[in-house]
Amino acid sequence: MRSLLLLFLATALVFSASLVDPRWAVPAYVTPGGTFNATFDGPVMVKTAELAAPGVGPIRLEVVSTSGAVATLRVPPGTPVGLYDLVINGGEVYEPKAVWVGNVTGPLRIIQLTDVHVGVELDMASVYRLIHGVLVANSGPYDVIFFTGDLADVGGQVWHYALFVRYASMATKPVFAIPGNHDHAGDDPLVNYRRFVGPPVWYRVVGPYLIIGLDSGENGFLTDGQVKLYEEVLKRYPDKVKIVLVHHPPFYLQNGYVVETYRGPQDVDRLNRDPTGRRSYYIVYTSYLQNRPAYEKFLDLTIRYKVALVMAGHVHSGNSTIVINGTYFVTTRTLGGSIDTSHGFRTYVVYPDGRVEVSRETWTYKNFAVATWGSRAAQFYIDSEFVGGVVAVDLPGNYTGVRALQGDAKLLDAKVHPMGKYARYTIAVSGRPVWLAVGDYAPAPTIKVEKITPRSPTTGDLVTINFRAEDPAAGVPFIVVNGTRVLASYLEEQPVYIYRFKYSKPVQLSAAAPGGQPLTVQIGAPTATPSPTPTQTTPQATPTATTPAPTPTPQPTTTTTPQATPPSPIASTPTATQPTATVTSPTPTATSAPPPTLQPQPASFPVEAIALIVIAIVGAVVVAALARRR
């Protein structure tokens, strides 16, 4: 009985504990034959642990020890290098891409993606720049991907993180992330961040390198506790080449390249004054002065321990390189957040001897990628000068084959995860744009009008039409309205397609998703009496699933750009409920039968009366029986 109770308690501990470290955005680094720790949020009993990856595994790990909430695990000596999922107790705890088995001895090639701001709508949804950045990283000569904060536009919005994880998980290389001030917005304890991403403060030893992730918080400064941890880690690994990730830049000067010296706290004021007198500021990022002692201590430690590189984001215009006593403080512009027209990323090479090569920023404003998938196929629409050649991508589906719908695409390799979690596809692509399908591409999309405003437009009004399009088999990469491609907007986790135009006269619009039937929408009263049934049966300039010929791909216009307005309640007053419905006037044409009218029914004998009669009869029988006994 006691052993059964112990088994029950052990099982309860396993099921109640969640993995805290490592996570997919802060993987453990371990060499073949080495050990790493898995930390949970409570006591845990680890019976088995395995590694798994597309085409590899599962690989059984040795459970060296378990103490409270920490389990020490050993990787077999012959384990191939790569990025692995961590599987505890047969899948009771599962974390994708949480263990990086490597043998890093040479240069570390880094791509920095910062300020993604998933949830932002500018000329297009920020997720398209995230997808593009991931594909650039997957196809480029990079060892690691660093996200330096503001992953979500509002940390309190769970769906912002859900979208970030959905598309960032396509990465085939180790990802390391830290939070930014927007990740704290509405979620200052970072509950959502920890749930979807990982620990906000961390460090990793990767071969000759020490990588440290810090959290500059919602207001842009370091806490005393973080600086203390920073000091402890630097003391523990003094001989490593040190790289620091932090969201707010400790030093910054827009479009500046400055070489300066720092001799101690007395230099903070000097570095905060422009030596030319032309500006009221210099290179100190003043938010750090809210905790000046911690800032001074951070700078002292950074210089004393000869940190090679401190990379930051936050300032969306970016492009700042400040060299202080040989340490590079580099700030990079936003990938997806608000800015003029110069979104981008930056790359680095850090060498084992401490040398740092900092590339110029790569501006990506007119480059984007769309990814969508369903039960039978996935689709990519890539309009980029930076994505080409061989691209690897992880997708949550076991698809077969690749079909080029525009440009050229060829499947080179496909590896299935041993647990069926996802598959890794290696594809050769060329052309711009490239539109390809992975899997059994047989689209069957539906499209409907969700909302039209204003309902009765007058000359000069800006008409906005919200469409919903779905295809459970392959997803919907875009829709085409009167020959114009419209990318989805994300006002919530589910996409909406927003088309806008200035009204001048009654117009008939044709909208379709690739491979689907067109939907005809009449805006304004038609000038002629319309026929009782829709006459628009042939899609105009609409890509189809059955024609491999090039599809019209106009550049995004204002019709693809949602304004910064709150989302409207969905499906409250649908103007079209079938793919072939037609709106012929500002008031939607009825497309379904009216609600059934309740017909009067013959009145039935009241149940209450029946109950009373039964009670009376039973009572009479009882009284009669009693009378006979007397």
Side-chain angles (χ1 to χ4, degrees):
M1 183 67 182
R2 184 179 178 183
S3 60
L4 183 62
L5 178 61
L6 290 175
L7 177 62
F8 174 78
L9 290 175
T11 304
L13 287 174
V14 168
F15 277 103
S16 62
S18 298
L19 188 66
V20 173
D21 185 24
R23 297 288 303 280
W24 75 273
V26 191
Y29 175 84
V30 61
T31 56
T35 63
F36 68 95
N37 288 337
T39 303
F40 300 82
D41 60 0
V44 65
M45 179 176 290
V46 176
K47 296 175 290 185
T48 62
E50 296 171 311
L51 299 180
V56 184
I59 299 172
R60 191 68 173 263
L61 304 180
E62 176 190 352
V63 181
V64 178
S65 64
T66 300
S67 177
V70 179
T72 301
L73 308 174
R74 186 183 304 279
V75 175
T79 302
V81 297
L83 188 61
Y84 291 90
D85 305 348
L86 179 60
V87 185
I88 302 292
N89 294 343
E92 292 169 358
V93 176
Y94 169 81
E95 182 68 17
K97 305 179 183 181
V99 180
W100 176 14
V101 179
N103 189 22
V104 176
T105 57
L108 189 66
R109 299 164 297 179
I110 304 165
I111 180 169
Q112 181 193 8
L113 308 176
T114 191
D115 294 76
V116 180
H117 286 274
V118 170
V120 158
E121 293 285 334
L122 300 169
D123 61 303
M124 65 177 66
S126 57
V127 295
Y128 300 131
R129 293 193 165 98
L130 168 62
I131 295 167
H132 178 255
V134 169
L135 294 181
V136 169
N138 286 355
S139 63
Y142 312 113
D143 301 307
V144 291
I145 305 169
F146 288 168
F147 284 98
T148 48
D150 284 359
L151 316 180
D153 190 53
V154 180
Q157 294 287 346
V158 170
W159 66 271
H160 288 192
Y161 284 118
L163 286 177
F164 175 79
V165 173
R166 179 186 303 172
Y167 295 114
S169 64
M170 297 189 304
T172 59
K173 297 175 181 179
V175 169
F176 292 89
I178 58 167
N181 57 300
H182 277 255
D183 297 304
H184 283 268
D187 185 32
D188 198 33
L190 293 177
V191 173
N192 291 336
Y193 183 91
R194 295 173 194 271
R195 173 188 169 194
F196 285 93
V197 182
V201 179
W202 48 266
Y203 72 91
R204 291 289 187 266
V205 176
V206 179
Y209 306 99
L210 171 63
I211 306 172
I212 303 174
L214 299 175
D215 175 17
S216 53
E218 187 170 12
N219 296 310
F221 60 88
L222 297 175
T223 63
D224 295 339
Q226 281 192 74
V227 175
K228 181 180 179 181
L229 175 64
Y230 185 56
E231 181 176 18
E232 292 171 355
V233 173
L234 291 174
K235 285 182 178 179
R236 195 178 307 164
Y237 302 100
D239 298 327
K240 297 293 183 180
V241 177
K242 303 156 196 79
I243 302 168
V244 175
L245 283 64
V246 65
H247 183 62
H248 294 78
F251 293 109
Y252 176 79
L253 185 64
Q254 184 174 1
N255 296 323
Y257 186 97
V258 177
V259 179
E260 270 286 3
T261 57
Y262 181 82
R263 293 161 294 184
Q266 68 275 11
D267 277 349
V268 171
D269 290 330
R270 178 180 65 82
L271 296 175
N272 199 25
R273 294 191 301 269
D274 184 4
T276 67
R278 293 194 297 266
R279 292 177 290 243
S280 59
Y281 58 89
Y282 190 29
I283 61 174
V284 170
Y285 204 79
T286 55
S287 67
Y288 281 92
L289 300 182
Q290 296 173 80
N291 189 357
R292 180 162 178 163
Y295 180 58
E296 293 173 349
K297 182 72 171 177
F298 168 78
L299 294 179
D300 175 69
L301 293 168
T302 301
I303 300 304
R304 189 197 320 167
Y305 284 95
K306 295 181 172 55
V307 172
L309 172 64
V310 179
M311 60 174 65
H314 183 64
V315 186
H316 286 194
S317 53
N319 196 31
S320 170
T321 301
I322 311 295
V323 185
I324 306 286
N325 293 25
T327 297
Y328 282 82
F329 293 83
V330 184
T331 307
T332 298
R333 72 186 55 244
T334 178
L335 179 71
S338 59
I339 199 175
D340 47 15
T341 57
S342 58
H343 300 81
F345 61 86
R346 195 191 297 271
T347 63
Y348 309 78
V349 181
V350 182
Y351 292 88
D353 60 6
R355 288 180 295 124
V356 178
E357 292 180 2
V358 182
S359 76
R360 298 183 64 179
E361 289 181 316
T362 301
W363 288 17
T364 61
Y365 174 66
K366 292 185 177 181
N367 298 263
F368 68 93
V370 180
T372 183
W373 50 79
S375 60
R376 300 177 62 180
Q379 294 185 71
F380 288 90
Y381 186 90
I382 307 168
D383 191 345
S384 172
E385 62 182 291
F386 306 107
V387 178
V390 177
V391 182
V393 63
D394 288 346
L395 293 172
N398 185 10
Y399 307 122
T400 302
V402 167
R403 177 180 176 183
L405 304 172
Q406 189 166 351
D408 294 312
K410 180 182 179 181
L411 180 64
L412 302 179
D413 190 25
K415 294 179 179 179
V416 179
H417 193 281
M419 298 174 63
K421 296 290 186 178
Y422 56 93
R424 180 165 300 165
Y425 303 90
T426 304
I427 306 169
V429 299
S430 62
R432 181 176 184 186
V434 176
W435 179 17
L436 63 94
V438 184
D440 181 13
Y441 182 65
T446 60
I447 185 171
K448 67 179 181 179
V449 174
E450 181 179 80
K451 185 178 181 180
I452 302 175
T453 55
R455 297 294 306 168
S456 302
T458 59
T459 301
D461 283 347
L462 180 65
V463 177
T464 301
I465 308 176
N466 288 12
F467 295 92
R468 291 279 183 180
E470 297 179 349
D471 187 348
V476 177
F478 53 82
I479 68 171
V480 175
V481 182
N482 276 21
T484 299
R485 185 191 63 229
V486 180
L487 300 179
S489 295
Y490 286 87
L491 308 179
E492 56 185 5
E493 188 173 353
Q494 298 304 315
V496 60
Y497 300 81
I498 302 176
Y499 180 77
R500 292 186 175 94
F501 69 97
K502 184 172 287 189
Y503 182 81
S504 60
K505 60 181 181 179
V507 62
Q508 192 176 75
L509 304 177
S510 177
Q517 294 298 314
L519 170 71
T520 301
V521 182
Q522 176 71 42
I523 304 297
T527 55
T529 303
S531 59
T533 56
T535 56
Q536 182 66 41
T537 58
T538 303
Q540 297 179 357
T542 304
T544 63
T546 57
T547 305
T551 306
T553 54
Q555 293 298 318
T557 66
T558 54
T559 60
T560 67
T561 310
Q563 301 298 321
T565 55
S568 303
I570 62 171
S572 56
T573 54
T575 57
T577 58
Q578 299 295 331
T580 56
T582 302
V583 179
T584 57
S585 68
T587 302
T589 301
T591 57
S592 60
T597 303
L598 292 176
Q599 299 296 328
Q601 298 293 325
S604 58
F605 196 83
V607 175
E608 295 86 349
I610 295 174
L612 289 174
I613 292 171
V614 171
I615 292 171
I617 293 171
V618 172
V621 171
V622 171
V623 170
L626 291 174
R628 282 197 298 271
R629 286 185 180 181
R630 289 177 184 170

